[in-house]
Amino acid sequence: MRLTRKISARLSTGRRSRFAAPAVLLIALLTVGGVVAVISPASSAKTEDDAATIAKGRDLFLVGCASCHGMNGEGIVTKRGNQYGPPLAGVGAAAVDFQVGTGRMPMAQPGAQALRKDPLYNDEEIAALGAFVQSLGPGPAVPTDEELDIAGATTEEIVRGGQFFRTNCTACHNFAGSGGALPKGKFAPSLVGVSAKHMYEAMVTGPQQMPVFSNNVLSPQDKREIIAYLKSQEEAPSYGGFTLGSIGPVAEGLFAWLGVGVLVGGGIWICSQTARSKKNSKKGDAA
Amino acid sequence: MSADDNSGHELEPFGDEPIPDPGLPEHLPRPTDVDPEAEKRAERQVATLFGLSSLFAVLFCVSYFVFDIGDETDEFLGMGASNVFLGTCLGLALLCIGIGAIQWSRKLMSDHEIVEYRHSASSPEEDRVEAVAALEEGIADSGIGRRPLVRNSLIGAMAFLGLPAIVALRDLGPLPGDSLAHTVWKKGMRVVQDVDGAKIKPADMVIGQLVNAEPEVFFETDSEGHHLYEGAELQAEKAKAAVILVRMHPDDITPVDGRENWGVDGILCYSKICTHVGCPISLWEQQTHHLLCPCHQSTFDLADNGKVIFGPAARHLPQLPLAVDAEGYLIATSDFTEPVGPSYWERDRSDLT
Amino acid sequence: MSPASTNGTTPAVTKKANPAGAVATWADERLGIATATKKQIRKVFPDHWSFMLGEIALWSFVILLLTGVFLTLWFKPSMGEVVYNGSYDQLRGIPMSEAYESTLHISFDVRAGLLMRQMHHWAAMLFIAAMLVHLMRVFLTGAFRKPRELNWVIGGVLLLLGILEGFAGYSLPDDLLSGTGLRIADGLVKATPVLGSYMSFFMFGGEFPGDVIIPRLYIAHVLLIPGLLLAMIAAHMLLLVYHKHTQWPGPGRTEENVVGYPMMPVYAAKAGGFFFIVFGTVALMGGLMTINPVWRFGPYNPAEVTAGSQPDWYMGIAEGLLRIMPGWETHIFGFTISWNVFLPGQIAPIALLMVVLAYPFVEQWITGDKREHHLLQRPRNAPTRTAFLAAMITLYGLLWAAGGNDVIATTFKLNLNHITYFMRGAIFVIPPLVFILAKRWCISLQRHDNDMLLHGYESGVIMRDAQGGYSEKHLPLSPDHAYTLTARARDEVYVGINGTDANGVSAPRRALDQLRAKLSHAWFATNVQKPTAAELEEGHHHAELEHAHDAPLEGVSADGHQFDGRHDVDDEALRPNH
């Protein structure tokens, strides 16, 4: 009972407890060994292609993910009851695409938060992993190109996106999407340069501590508008000069003190002694 | 302290000088004082700086007309060209004058230091005596010392003049009454998403979901299509009524007595206004259920009745009791049961038991 | 001054053909400016870089007036709701206050408007920073001592007014950050015992945010506070002229004179030039560095907030105090006292200001020093005062950092909660440590000065004596340098009146006196005093013996020993070949 509670409570999460490497290795070895033994026949309802993709995804999963998430994505709970890797049934292909596509998964090491890095898998492999996880239990799918089409966004849509952004997103990600602090060493990452697809997936799946913004409440149209707003901000020039990091008054204060430093330097120059000539000056009196 | 001025411990006027004052050092000439070549050079340098300043001032005017702003902002290295060029030209024009003037003073103006003698800040003794005498004469002429009735009634009149000064400010604002204790929430009012007013069914929310929500009344219009709440009134009500909806696994939630039925399927509704100094908070961690205020980092546990677990806030976050109406949408079952937002003097104690 | 001299029918000194002279004559016949300015035209200002700090603040204020007037031509201080229809796409069609709309208008539809906005904001940040730096200079050098205590108080009030003025200005654009700032101000006001909610309602004309706070702040920002600032700055400058500037001790510079350059022309050129340098720097900052990009914050909406919500830097310590304060609240008889807001938000800033304003009087009471002081003290020669300031700066810095704990956490990948816990302890532990450190440092610098006076400075020349031992040659200071080091008063520790004169002194007075004696001991007992004439004599005697020892080197080609200040080395190279 407690386990199911945990599982359902932590759908679509990436929480790790810090646990020792040896256990991981052992599990990994067992899993890799298990690959050979387990043969899963393709579902007759699916096409040959889908089945092949899922099978490929499963192969990749068993090598790269199962050590934490379990051989069938059922999740691993440590002896202390912490999540080692959360269960993946129902997180959907969108979660996989976000976590693996932004390099957050697989994690380099357990920590407060999975960090963004270069992805380890190529697009095809990510799609295969996603298909496999989707087969474990239906969840949000990877958004289609149409869902992400922001090219034709009108000014009105962009403005509304800005309103949604300021209401739902700036509290954590800051007014310019520069990111912000969360309790206990966690943080909301910067949104600058993040692809539209990954932003969309993050909203749908709620990776790590981020809450979910499901399509039933914040509709796909709303999400598209938010993304369109952010992209329009990225394209707009920095009207007032260098941005100083777009993190608000703290950076501005530091630069103000830099300005005062420069001006004090000016004052030192103004009051410094100019060069003195030795011509016409009597010898010996200089001391 | 003034009583101390002429009594008690006195120090010797000034410290003894173990080394005698050698006197002002001899003035040494600068290269520009003795070398006509250097003097000419400095003169040219200063004039060049002043000339450059004129050039930059002209460039400022050119930039003003050349670079577009607004809709068709011209860009320069990803920055607004108008601002960058106007600022740079103006800055350099001013700096050239400043640097030129200072070079002028450093190199060309006479640099002989001169000596001025100080005077004591106090007036000479005879002036003091005279001033005191004049003042006493004036006081005596007024008779203020001899006519206490006049004096005291004047003091009283002055004091009473303070009353109109204070009373006249009465209409700065209405009295608070109990308006801080109430919001627009009432039984049956739907909880809708902020910005677009979308109504919410419990099934629309998945576990781990956060919705920034408002009372539906903010999106309602009267028969003529005007919003019921607009402008300052809307802002004032929003400042109290804004809420967040969160959905957690029902087993994670530990309601205090009396709040067991305040949620719907693990969906809880809390005031968005921090109990510390009133920032809107929606920084929710879906796994820990912690809500962080980005202003001063008060942290509340939404699975545990909004109790404070960290930071400067002293009180839990008020919770709004929820239910579902006949059409299946989330509604409030009452107003907040306690005042939302920052504490104030008249606010009754209402800690969770 | 004889009145007859100004009553004459013909001006005494002006030349006829000079048009400027004619104007001056015209003015003098009506204003008597010759009498008023004859002493000021060549007024002496001593030259030292640390005397330029207050000028940065003064010129920033002038820039604020200039850019501020420009902004008022377009800014509409109204909270009336309008729909934005300007040229910034991303906000078009949103209802917002006229204040925010006009700020966007200045930023996007008035050429040079954004530049002026940014310059105004940068100048405001510099204004207060420069005031603070100037205040530290005055404090460290003891320039607040008699007769300048009142000017110190005026300066402290100026700092407070500047901060209030800055906060009002920060609130005017009615963007998300300014609204959040006002919301916090509302919380601070509401925390006032008894009167809190009334004060809040009177301030905002009803419930927060209301529709009057911006017009009210506007008139305070453009008229009331600038008027007060202007008057106080005028008083500050008049007193400066009346007292004449302090100066550093040195040869020929005494308590009775002031040595420097005349107002006209050198100081006018330097100060005027510095104005343009400050102005130019502000223009460059405004042109190149974004400050307060209000269009990205959006209009104020009480349901929105942004990560990194911060006040401008000068409110940083209040922000830090608010953040690290534990959540204490008292409930008595159905009433609430919010210590967690009231203490850091109201009591602490006022207490801090009181400490600053009262310092000169406290120090004077402890020293009992009623003399006028026009020569500055080196910071090392007032170790307790210097250490006190070092501790205060440390406290200020810690609180300021605490005010940006979220930015520190994300920038340096630290744990937000740990920073807060650390700061809660650090503000009590680190300033006292810094105090001790700074005091010991000052005292050792004083010792070093005395060593130089008595034994000369370290020349870097290593001498080998007949026994084969090595020692570093110390050379005497130049007379000017030596005089400068000794040109300071001796500190005296006040011992109190107990025992000797205690008869007839009431008990509370005696207790106060004992406190004064104790403080005096703590203040001065460990200071190192300058050597007496006799000690210096002995030191010189030593040096002369050594000199005699070196006598055989006289006349020999320079090998380094001659560079001791007693030999004529103008034509000598260290080595003949070079």
Side-chain angles (χ1 to χ4, degrees):
Chain A
M1 191 60 202
R2 187 173 165 77
L3 183 67
T4 36
R5 179 171 84 72
K6 286 267 181 203
I7 287 168
S8 49
R10 297 204 160 80
L11 287 179
S12 68
T13 60
R15 178 173 167 146
R16 301 299 180 97
S17 65
R18 32 193 184 313
F19 252 74
V24 187
L25 264 175
L26 186 63
I27 296 165
L29 287 170
L30 287 173
T31 324
V32 174
V35 175
V36 191
V38 179
I39 299 159
S40 70
S43 154
S44 59
K46 301 198 172 179
T47 66
E48 197 78 355
D49 264 3
D50 278 348
T53 312
I54 292 171
K56 185 186 171 201
R58 184 184 168 77
D59 289 348
L60 290 166
F61 185 85
L62 291 172
V63 175
C65 321
S67 55
C68 302
H69 291 288
M71 290 205 291
N72 295 309
E74 73 278 9
I76 290 176
V77 179
T78 62
K79 265 195 219 162
R80 289 186 196 167
N82 293 325
Q83 285 289 347
Y84 194 67
L88 299 180
V91 301
V96 177
D97 192 61
F98 176 83
Q99 299 283 7
V100 183
T102 61
R104 286 182 168 81
M105 291 292 149
M107 280 175 96
Q109 76 242 351
Q113 188 167 342
L115 301 176
R116 192 174 176 188
K117 54 186 185 292
D118 285 338
L120 284 179
Y121 296 90
N122 62 30
D123 290 349
E124 200 191 331
E125 291 166 332
I126 294 170
L129 276 170
F132 169 68
V133 170
Q134 191 75 321
S135 76
L136 298 173
V142 176
T144 61
D145 286 347
E146 281 136 53
E147 282 177 296
L148 298 174
D149 181 21
I150 55 165
T154 63
T155 302
E156 215 170 276
E157 287 174 331
I158 289 174
V159 170
R160 232 169 69 97
Q163 288 178 292
F164 275 118
F165 178 73
R166 287 189 293 276
T167 303
N168 293 302
C169 316
T170 51
C172 307
H173 290 285
N174 136 316
F175 60 89
S178 311
L182 296 180
K184 302 190 176 164
K186 288 163 285 186
F187 64 94
S190 166
L191 303 179
V192 180
V194 177
S195 73
K197 184 174 76 162
H198 288 149
M199 285 194 218
Y200 191 102
E201 288 165 350
M203 287 188 269
V204 175
T205 62
Q208 317 213 19
Q209 294 295 353
M210 178 168 163
V212 185
F213 295 88
S214 75
N215 282 342
N216 290 330
V217 183
L218 194 74
S219 70
Q221 168 70 16
D222 300 341
K223 292 191 173 73
R224 207 157 45 229
E225 287 169 359
I226 293 176
I227 294 166
Y229 171 76
L230 281 167
K231 291 298 167 195
S232 81
Q233 286 287 8
E234 274 179 37
E235 279 162 24
S238 166
Y239 297 95
F242 295 101
T243 62
L244 314 185
S246 288
I247 55 168
V250 172
E252 294 165 4
L254 291 177
F255 277 92
W257 276 91
L258 196 72
V260 168
V262 168
L263 290 175
V264 171
I268 292 173
W269 170 63
I270 291 171
C271 296
S272 61
Q273 276 279 340
T274 43
R276 295 287 141 172
S277 171
K278 286 199 169 174
K279 285 187 196 171
N280 288 13
S281 76
K282 279 174 281 170
K283 262 191 168 186
D285 283 2
Chain B
M1 213 163 297
S2 57
D4 253 15
D5 261 355
N6 297 314
S7 65
H9 180 73
E10 281 287 341
L11 295 167
E12 62 193 282
F14 288 104
D16 58 321
E17 296 199 17
I19 298 174
D21 183 354
L24 281 177
E26 189 211 12
H27 176 259
L28 296 175
R30 298 162 296 186
T32 44
D33 293 329
V34 291
D35 179 2
E37 199 52 43
E39 193 184 353
K40 272 274 166 243
R41 208 159 44 231
E43 198 178 337
R44 277 197 305 272
Q45 192 186 29
V46 172
T48 309
L49 281 164
F50 289 161
L52 274 176
S53 173
S54 320
L55 176 68
F56 284 119
V58 171
L59 282 178
F60 176 91
C61 298
V62 172
S63 312
Y64 186 90
F65 292 107
V66 163
F67 297 112
D68 269 337
I69 58 164
D71 258 346
E72 304 293 324
T73 301
D74 286 314
E75 288 184 37
F76 175 73
L77 303 175
M79 298 182 281
S82 174
N83 193 64
V84 167
F85 280 98
L86 289 177
T88 311
C89 292
L90 180 62
L92 292 176
L94 293 163
L95 281 176
C96 284
I97 293 185
I99 295 170
I102 285 161
Q103 279 296 74
W104 181 9
S105 76
R106 282 163 60 87
K107 300 217 160 160
L108 297 172
M109 289 179 185
S110 159
D111 74 334
H112 284 269
E113 287 192 311
I114 58 176
V115 179
E116 202 179 328
Y117 287 92
R118 294 182 188 276
H119 54 84
S120 166
S122 60
S123 324
E125 191 55 35
E126 60 266 34
D127 283 10
R128 280 193 194 182
V129 171
E130 246 175 80
V132 169
L135 186 66
E136 276 170 353
E137 202 179 335
I139 290 173
D141 283 359
S142 77
I144 198 163
R146 281 176 289 124
R147 301 186 210 282
L149 188 63
V150 171
R151 185 191 61 209
N152 293 346
S153 55
L154 177 63
I155 292 171
M158 289 302 195
F160 272 89
L161 262 189
L163 284 177
I166 295 166
V167 169
L169 293 174
R170 162 64 190 86
D171 278 348
L172 273 175
L175 297 182
D178 64 347
S179 51
L180 288 176
H182 302 292
T183 71
V184 295
W185 287 106
K186 59 182 184 192
K187 184 175 165 65
M189 189 174 288
R190 283 187 182 135
V191 187
V192 299
Q193 176 168 245
D194 202 349
V195 182
D196 65 352
K199 291 171 278 197
I200 301 158
K201 289 182 172 170
D204 293 338
M205 291 181 65
V206 298
I207 284 172
Q209 177 146 13
L210 165 79
V211 178
N212 290 283
E214 299 284 354
E216 192 178 25
V217 68
F218 291 167
F219 297 90
E220 285 169 2
T221 53
D222 61 17
S223 54
E224 287 168 25
H226 295 301
H227 282 279
L228 295 181
Y229 287 95
E230 273 184 328
E233 202 189 351
L234 174 66
Q235 296 279 80
E237 290 304 335
K238 223 186 214 183
K240 290 188 297 183
V243 290
I244 49 170
L245 282 172
V246 291
R247 183 162 191 177
M248 292 168 271
H249 197 284
D251 294 347
D252 283 345
I253 302 170
T254 53
V256 291
D257 291 344
R259 288 193 175 182
E260 295 85 353
N261 297 320
W262 281 25
V264 175
D265 302 341
I267 300 176
L268 299 183
C269 185
Y270 284 97
S271 166
K272 198 178 183 177
I273 311 303
C274 185
T275 60
H276 178 223
V277 282
C279 286
I281 37 179
S282 57
L283 219 153
W284 188 55
E285 295 193 317
Q286 62 138 316
Q287 291 172 40
T288 60
H289 313 311
H290 293 167
L291 184 71
L292 175 81
C293 177
C295 290
H296 306 103
Q297 286 86 41
S298 299
T299 311
F300 305 86
D301 188 349
L302 297 194
D304 186 11
N305 307 287
K307 282 183 185 160
V308 182
I309 54 168
F310 179 76
R315 282 182 298 102
H316 63 276
L317 215 50
Q319 190 180 348
L320 188 72
L322 286 183
V324 174
D325 67 6
E327 292 172 61
Y329 293 113
L330 287 172
I331 54 164
T333 64
S334 77
D335 192 358
F336 283 101
T337 55
E338 56 190 316
V340 301
S343 293
Y344 51 94
W345 173 254
E346 303 91 328
R347 192 186 187 287
D348 274 347
R349 168 181 203 127
S350 60
D351 281 352
L352 293 169
T353 44
Chain C
M1 178 170 71
S2 85
S5 68
T6 54
N7 266 353
T9 45
T10 48
V13 282
T14 45
K15 294 168 199 159
K16 261 179 195 165
N18 187 346
V23 170
T25 307
W26 187 92
D28 187 55
E29 284 170 0
R30 283 149 188 86
L31 304 169
I33 48 170
T35 311
T37 56
K38 66 177 180 196
K39 280 192 180 157
Q40 311 306 336
I41 288 173
R42 294 285 277 179
K43 188 167 183 62
V44 168
F45 284 90
D47 214 29
H48 191 263
W49 66 268
S50 70
F51 302 161
M52 307 299 278
L53 303 174
E55 241 176 67
I56 302 177
L58 179 67
W59 299 139
S60 302
F61 182 71
V62 173
I63 297 163
L64 284 167
L65 291 180
L66 293 174
T67 52
V69 167
F70 184 92
L71 296 176
T72 58
L73 302 179
W74 289 275
F75 181 70
K76 297 180 197 144
S78 154
M79 294 173 90
E81 196 174 75
V82 290
V83 172
Y84 181 67
N85 216 3
S87 39
Y88 183 66
D89 281 348
Q90 282 96 328
L91 293 171
R92 203 172 292 151
I94 294 185
M96 56 180 65
S97 68
E98 277 192 283
Y100 185 64
E101 192 262 349
S102 57
T103 309
L104 290 178
H105 179 76
I106 292 170
S107 306
F108 290 104
D109 296 292
V110 175
R111 279 173 287 186
L114 181 57
L115 176 67
M116 291 297 161
R117 256 198 64 224
Q118 300 204 121
M119 282 173 65
H120 193 69
H121 205 139
W122 280 122
M125 310 268 263
L126 293 184
F127 178 48
I128 300 172
M131 279 200 280
L132 208 62
V133 177
H134 174 57
L135 176 140
M136 290 194 271
R137 194 283 290 176
V138 170
F139 189 87
L140 279 176
T141 57
F144 55 79
R145 292 175 298 168
K146 190 182 172 185
R148 295 183 178 78
E149 305 98 318
L150 288 178
N151 228 11
W152 167 266
V153 170
I154 291 175
V157 174
L158 276 171
L159 183 62
L160 175 73
L161 285 174
I163 290 171
L164 291 177
E165 175 75 344
F167 181 76
Y170 177 92
S171 305
L172 286 184
D174 204 22
D175 59 283
L176 187 55
L177 268 189
S178 46
T180 306
L182 280 175
R183 172 111 229 195
I184 293 167
D186 175 53
L188 295 190
V189 168
K190 278 188 178 139
T192 315
V194 187
L195 294 175
S197 52
Y198 291 86
M199 284 163 64
S200 160
F201 271 62
F202 285 1
M203 204 170 118
F204 291 94
E207 280 194 77
F208 173 87
D211 57 2
V212 296
I213 187 68
I214 284 184
R216 283 178 185 175
L217 283 176
Y218 179 72
I219 206 64
H221 183 77
V222 301
L223 181 74
L224 188 61
I225 307 179
L228 286 172
L229 276 169
L230 213 51
M232 301 289 269
I233 290 173
H236 204 67
M237 306 297 293
L238 280 176
L239 279 175
L240 160 73
V241 169
Y242 180 63
H243 290 144
K244 299 192 169 73
H245 207 287
T246 52
Q247 62 185 351
W248 289 101
R253 286 150 210 264
T254 68
E255 292 279 7
E256 283 84 29
N257 70 9
V258 52
V259 181
Y261 295 117
M263 176 77 187
M264 189 73 196
V266 176
Y267 202 71
K270 284 191 174 182
F274 199 36
F275 168 64
F276 285 101
I277 286 182
V278 176
F279 205 168
T281 308
V282 170
L284 285 181
M285 291 173 89
L288 296 173
M289 286 147 65
T290 306
I291 187 166
N292 203 24
V294 288
W295 56 92
R296 304 204 74 171
F297 304 146
Y300 179 57
N301 178 337
E304 291 172 4
V305 73
T306 170
S309 282
Q310 296 276 355
D312 272 345
W313 77 261
Y314 43 82
M315 301 291 276
I317 60 161
E319 177 82 1
L321 274 167
L322 270 178
R323 288 184 183 207
I324 62 174
M325 184 76 189
W328 294 337
E329 195 170 274
T330 311
H331 302 270
I332 39 161
F333 311 122
F335 297 113
T336 301
I337 307 173
S338 304
W339 301 113
N340 56 340
V341 183
F342 184 57
L343 279 185
Q346 297 195 28
I347 300 295
I350 293 171
L352 195 66
L353 185 72
M354 287 302 139
V355 169
V356 170
L357 294 187
Y359 187 87
F361 304 100
V362 173
E363 194 188 282
Q364 200 172 78
W365 174 66
I366 295 169
T367 56
D369 188 353
K370 304 285 189 281
R371 300 166 298 178
E372 285 195 7
H373 290 278
H374 302 290
L375 287 180
L376 297 173
Q377 288 176 303
R378 298 174 83 197
R380 68 183 60 171
N381 287 331
T384 310
R385 182 202 295 152
T386 303
F388 177 72
L389 185 73
M392 290 294 268
I393 291 173
T394 310
L395 179 65
Y396 193 100
L398 285 169
L399 289 174
W400 191 15
N405 58 1
D406 52 339
V407 175
I408 293 174
T410 43
T411 310
F412 300 106
K413 309 261 182 287
L414 295 173
N415 184 324
L416 185 67
N417 305 46
H418 291 172
I419 298 174
T420 304
Y421 288 130
F422 170 78
M423 289 298 179
R424 280 178 183 173
I427 59 163
F428 295 104
V429 176
I430 296 183
L433 290 179
V434 169
F435 180 89
I436 295 166
L437 202 71
K439 188 162 179 177
R440 299 320 304 183
W441 194 349
C442 285
I443 289 168
S444 68
L445 284 172
Q446 283 190 310
R447 291 211 180 101
H448 176 66
D449 281 354
N450 275 10
D451 283 351
M452 288 207 298
L453 283 168
L454 293 170
H455 311 300
Y457 68 93
E458 295 164 8
S459 64
V461 176
I462 305 297
M463 305 290 285
R464 184 165 178 242
D465 62 23
Q467 284 77 36
Y470 290 93
S471 62
E472 186 176 4
K473 189 173 168 63
H474 285 238
L475 298 173
L477 299 175
S478 71
D480 283 4
H481 191 185
Y483 172 72
T484 306
L485 288 182
T486 56
R488 62 181 178 106
R490 294 181 191 282
D491 305 312
E492 281 186 31
V493 179
Y494 176 64
V495 289
I497 49 172
N498 47 343
T500 53
D501 295 328
N503 296 335
V505 177
S506 65
R509 244 193 104 91
R510 198 160 52 225
L512 211 59
D513 190 71
Q514 274 165 7
L515 175 68
R516 183 181 149 193
K518 274 192 185 129
L519 282 171
S520 181
H521 190 266
W523 231 261
F524 300 114
T526 46
N527 290 3
V528 179
Q529 303 305 328
K530 65 182 177 186
T532 61
E535 285 166 347
L536 279 171
E537 190 50 44
E538 198 182 341
H540 286 197
H541 187 61
H542 271 291
E544 249 141 53
L545 283 179
E546 201 175 309
H547 188 49
H549 182 73
D550 298 343
L553 293 168
E554 209 70 50
V556 180
S557 170
D559 62 355
H561 299 133
Q562 283 84 345
F563 288 82
D564 57 4
R566 288 191 301 254
H567 295 80
D568 184 358
V569 288
D570 264 13
D571 299 322
E572 298 258 23
L574 190 58
R575 290 188 198 138
N577 300 342
H578 284 81

